[in-house]
């Protein structure tokens, strides 16, 4: 009955103005407006009701679909707003873009609507539509361009495709100016980093500081770039300015402390962190810092003070204390702390970590029961995480087939979930369930044709475990075209070339993969090709280096055994 009353209340809030166009109200006017609401379109009302019911059942994507249909038929901006909110919460970005676009049309004075539309369009990769919304925002905020550029820069800086984002930003600058705006230059600097252009990024950061030298976050950003460009003195100078501008900023203080430590100024680093306000997160930062520099006793002493500290947010304190205990190897205490964290993202992380720690203590049944007990009442994202965590716990316990069967059951709870299918496929390969593994990977690829990781996994499996080498090469090459710099994919290119007898080409790929990632499995493959090419000393050296990285790697051990090599 309570659930029904909550549903009816939410519906009344959404539908109360369904057919009433928005009215501007000046600050002097009474904000209470009484209107006679004409009858609402029955289909709109049905869609809204269906959407709210689906929300209560956790079916956010289906709810968003119904709400978008309602928004497209209604002139009420509150329905479009609700549609966008549900779609964003469910990360259904295509629906979010449609709903927010409608919301902007119905309520052009809403900054929230415009921001939501821009963000959703960027996340769906529709940069043309996003560009249109940004241009509209600049026109709308023509009297406050600085604020508009700040909002636009923030959204573009987190775009999935930095090259597209740079193109949009360049066009907007050409049309509306912005070369003298610190936020625009900051965004260009962030995007340049994501394109791997460190020097260019630093130049933009310096230009931004010419316009806004008083902004601590820009000074710290320039300092981070200077670190990456191996300019330690310059980095320290930037961070010192940032610290002076914003002495209470924890992130800046921690990064500054790390630079001081690298410069051998450990006492100053401790003083910098100790000067911060005592909060759970700053205490954790001090513990991490002390541990990193080998001051184990100091780290333990600071941690113990969690028990007597009187923090206002008990859950936040428990989460930070749990992480500290976890890092210090105090598993039982970490479990107890994590059990006190129950809400939000920290609660989700804490529960998963508790399960892992319980399993590491040999309390496998407790760990599994903990994960199973919450599944029926959680968001689909948590369902996925809990199944993946339990399967990893089982694999670590040597129960790979049980893990594989668990993920098979998981498909009923989160049908079509790519993470579940991919993880089950990897375990399937390990237990010789190759046919089932191939079906799982093909299901992922069918829904996500450009899923480079799944393409590579299937291609490598076929190259390593079957004679379907041409098919394997096609799959791996598709993955390589999507991610040509990924070491694991380059390794697969080398391995399939080796299996096809193209040894010199295989060696070229594998040497490149090894240069990018000193991984024991890559070392096993590289050594094998070198051995076949009669370059035995180099092969043994590659295997030795691989063993240093991971002495228990199964692929490396099998390779050494097959060639009768004892390192």
């Amino acid at each position: 009955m309570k659930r029904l009353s909550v549903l009816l209340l939410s519906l009344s809030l959404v539908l109360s103005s369904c057919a009433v166009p928005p009215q501007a109200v000046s600050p002097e006017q009474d904000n209470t407006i009484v209107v006679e609401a004409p009858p609402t379109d029955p289909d709109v009302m049905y869609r809204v009701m269906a959407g709210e019911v689906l929300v209560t059942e956790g079916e956010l994507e289906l709810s968003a679909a119904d709400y978008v249909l309602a928004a497209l038929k209604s002139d009420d901006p509150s329905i479009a707003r609700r549609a966008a909110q549900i779609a964003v919460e469910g990360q259904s970005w295509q629906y979010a873009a449609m709903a927010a676009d409608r919301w902007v049309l119905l309520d052009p004075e809403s900054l929230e609507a415009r921001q939501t539309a821009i963000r959703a369009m960027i996340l769906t990769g529709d940069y043309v539509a996003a560009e249109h919304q940004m241009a509209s925002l600049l026109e709308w905020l023509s009297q406050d361009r600085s604020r508009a550029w700040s909002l636009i820069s923030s959204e573009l800086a987190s775009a999935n495709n930095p090259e597209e984002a740079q193109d949009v930003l360049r066009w907007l600058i050409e049309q509306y100016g912005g070369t003298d705006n610190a936020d625009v230059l900051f965004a260009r600097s962030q995007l340049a980093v994501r394109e791997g252009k460190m020097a260019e990024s630093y130049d933009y950061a310096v230009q931004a500081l010419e316009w806004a030298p008083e902004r601590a976050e820009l000074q710290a950003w320039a300092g981070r770039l200077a670190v990456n460009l191996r300019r330690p003195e310059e980095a320290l100078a930037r961070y010192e300015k940032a610290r002076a501008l914003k002495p209470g900023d924890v992130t800046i203080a921690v990064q500054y402390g790390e630079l001081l430590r690298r410069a051998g100024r450990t006492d100053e680093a401790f003083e910098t962190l100790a000067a911060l306000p005592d909060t759970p997160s700053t205490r954790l930062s001090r513990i991490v810092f002390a541990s990193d520099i080998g001051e184990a006793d100091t780290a333990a002493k600071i941690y113990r003070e969690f028990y007597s500290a009187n923090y206002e947010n008990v859950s936040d304190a428990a989460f930070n204390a749990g992480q500290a205990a976890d890092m210090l190897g105090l598993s039982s205490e970490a479990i107890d702390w994590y059990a006190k964290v129950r809400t939000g993202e920290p609660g989700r992380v804490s529960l998963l970590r508790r399960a892992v720690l319980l399993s590491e203590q040999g309390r496998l049944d407790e760990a599994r029961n903990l994960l199973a007990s919450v599944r029926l009442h959680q968001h689909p994202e948590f369902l996925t995480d809990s199944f993946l965590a339990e399967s990893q716990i089982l694999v670590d316990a040597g129960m790979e087939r049980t893990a594989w069967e668990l993920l098979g059951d998981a498909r009923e709870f989160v049908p079509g979930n790519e993470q579940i299918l991919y993880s089950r496929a990897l375990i399937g390969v390990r237990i010789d369930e190759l046919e089932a593994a191939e079906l799982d990977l093909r299901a992922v690829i069918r829904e996500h044709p450009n899923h480079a990781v799944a393409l590579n996994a299937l291609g490598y499996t076929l190259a390593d475990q079957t004679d379907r080498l041409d098919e394997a090469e096609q799959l791996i090459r598709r993955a390589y075209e999507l991610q040509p710099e990924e070491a694991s994919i380059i390794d697969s290119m080398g391995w399939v070339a080796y299996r096809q007898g193209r040894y010199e080409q295989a060696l070229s790929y594998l040497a490149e993969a090894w240069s990018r990632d000193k991984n024991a499995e890559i070392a096993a493959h590289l050594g094998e090709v070198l051995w076949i090419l009669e370059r035995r000393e180099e092969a043994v050296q590659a295997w030795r280096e691989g063993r240093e990285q991971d002495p228990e790697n199964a692929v490396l051990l099998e390779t050494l055994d097959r060639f009768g090599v004892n390192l």
Side-chain angles (χ1 to χ4, degrees), residues 21-206:
Q23 300 182 34
V25 181
S26 69
E28 294 77 23
Q29 287 178 296
D30 184 356
N31 285 330
T32 304
I33 301 174
V34 179
V35 296
E36 285 292 329
T40 304
D41 184 297
D43 188 48
V44 171
M45 201 164 185
Y46 169 77
R47 294 291 181 186
V48 168
M49 292 178 68
E52 288 297 336
V53 169
L54 288 166
V55 165
T56 66
E57 294 174 351
E59 298 287 353
L60 297 181
E61 185 171 4
L62 293 175
S63 172
D66 269 319
Y67 249 111
V68 166
L69 289 173
L72 293 174
K73 290 196 68 175
S74 170
D75 290 332
D76 182 359
S78 67
I79 293 179
R81 181 174 186 269
R82 178 66 172 152
Q85 289 174 332
I86 293 170
V88 168
E89 185 179 350
Q91 297 186 11
S92 300
W93 299 112
Q94 195 67 53
Y95 288 134
M98 294 169 65
D101 190 49
R102 180 68 174 167
W103 182 10
V104 171
L105 181 67
L106 297 174
D107 187 6
E109 299 300 307
S110 170
L111 180 59
E112 183 187 0
R114 293 175 183 274
Q115 285 183 269
T116 304
I118 291 169
R119 184 175 306 120
M121 288 164 181
I122 287 174
L123 287 169
T124 59
D126 190 351
Y127 286 89
V128 173
E131 182 181 276
H132 170 75
Q133 288 288 352
M134 290 181 213
S136 176
L137 178 64
L138 284 163
E139 295 283 359
W140 183 58
L141 288 176
S142 59
Q143 302 304 311
D144 192 358
R145 282 282 168 81
S146 180
R147 184 185 186 194
W149 280 120
S150 177
L151 295 170
I152 288 169
S153 301
S154 175
E155 297 299 342
L156 285 175
S158 58
N160 294 326
N161 189 327
E163 292 181 6
E164 288 270 17
Q166 282 278 29
D167 288 343
V168 170
L169 194 52
R170 288 190 196 99
W171 183 85
L172 291 171
I173 291 170
E174 288 174 6
Q175 300 298 313
Y176 298 96
T179 54
D180 58 350
N181 184 282
D183 286 301
V184 174
L185 292 162
F186 186 23
R188 299 196 78 168
S189 177
Q190 291 173 295
L191 290 168
V193 162
R194 296 177 63 196
E195 292 179 288
K197 300 174 181 177
M198 282 292 176
E200 182 180 320
S201 174
Y202 185 72
D203 289 342
Y204 281 130
V206 171

Side-chain angles (χ1 to χ4, degrees), residues 469-487:
L469 301 180
D470 290 343
E471 186 179 354
E473 183 187 9
Q474 290 178 0
L475 290 162
I476 295 168
R477 192 166 293 281
R478 281 171 59 193
Y480 182 70
E481 289 169 356
L482 291 165
Q483 294 185 12
E485 297 184 358
E486 171 55 44

